[in-house]
Amino acid sequence: MARTTTRPVVTLTSTAGTGVTYVTRKNRLNDPDRLVLRKYDPVAGAHVEFRETR
């Protein structure tokens, strides 16, 4: 996959405060705001919201 500025690599950090992170790519045209996804946090043992950090 070609590296472009349209789909930058972003880091998602757990809102549970456990320090768990995910790395993904997002489409800047479709999601100009910070990305929020509900993903599994293995330290918390549950699905929690992960927010994009810069």
Side-chain angles (χ1 to χ4, degrees):
M1 180 165 42
R3 303 285 189 234
T4 64
T5 58
T6 306
R7 295 188 64 85
V9 175
V10 295
T11 302
L12 302 173
T13 305
S14 175
T15 58
T18 57
V20 177
T21 60
Y22 281 95
V23 177
T24 188
R25 300 177 77 87
K26 77 166 188 176
N27 188 331
R28 203 176 269 167
L29 300 177
N30 294 340
D31 298 312
D33 299 329
R34 290 194 181 187
L35 193 61
V36 177
L37 295 175
R38 190 167 165 83
K39 296 183 73 65
Y40 184 74
D41 186 339
V43 176
H47 283 81
V48 296
E49 284 189 344
F50 280 73
R51 296 190 184 273
E52 175 183 345
T53 57
R54 300 190 181 187

